[in-house]
Amino acid sequence: MKSIKNVFREGPISPEFIADSIAKHQVKTGIGAHNIFLGQVRADQAGDSAVGAIEYTAYTEMANKVMHEIRERTFEEFDLTCMHIYHSLGLVKTGEVCLFVFVSAPHRKVTFRALEYVVEAIKAEAPIFGKEILENESHKWKVNN
């Protein structure tokens, strides 16, 4: 069994981290397509206040194992060259990225299907919890949808 990689990053996932992750794949000549998903905290309205940030927590050991299983299933299902999954822990403000999924394959159609599969599996299976911090300083637990 492959080692289980830590998919968590403290705080928001920076544009520089995303760019560096993508740039590393330019030398891989068997890749015909890349596809990325960036989950960003949005300022949803919650009653009389808007979301200002989300504080993410997780059972990290369990969540890393689930993410690893999702990754392995995805490689079994789709002809991918590579895949990266990163999720934030801690406080992420509106407009900042909290989930970064990057897939590469020889052909573009595979990347679209695989990317949707991965994101839906993460939302449904990963034990990651978000506490929405509202602008009025109250909070509520985020429901994945």
Side-chain angles (χ1 to χ4, degrees), residues 7-19 21 38-42 52-57 85-101:
V7 300
F8 293 106
R9 311 259 318 151
E10 192 61 39
I13 300 170
S14 72
E16 296 79 17
F17 179 82
I18 294 166
S21 296
L38 300 175
Q40 178 174 303
V41 175
R42 65 181 180 277
I54 298 178
E55 184 177 357
Y56 289 99
T57 58
I85 303 171
Y86 294 99
H87 199 293
S88 294
L89 289 180
L91 194 68
V92 182
K93 297 177 184 174
T94 56
E96 294 179 325
V97 174
C98 57
L99 175 60
F100 168 44
V101 181

Side-chain angles (χ1 to χ4, degrees), residues 34-49:
H34 305 287
N35 206 339
I36 64 170
F37 174 83
L38 300 175
Q40 178 174 303
V41 175
R42 65 181 180 277
D44 284 344
Q45 200 61 29
D48 63 347
S49 190

Side-chain angles (χ1 to χ4, degrees), residues 35-37 70 74 78 101 103 109-123:
N35 206 339
I36 64 170
F37 174 83
I70 291 168
T74 306
F78 301 96
V101 181
V103 296
K109 287 185 180 182
V110 172
T111 66
F112 291 110
R113 293 192 317 270
L115 189 63
E116 183 173 26
Y117 176 86
V118 170
V119 172
E120 293 300 324
I122 291 169
K123 292 294 235 174

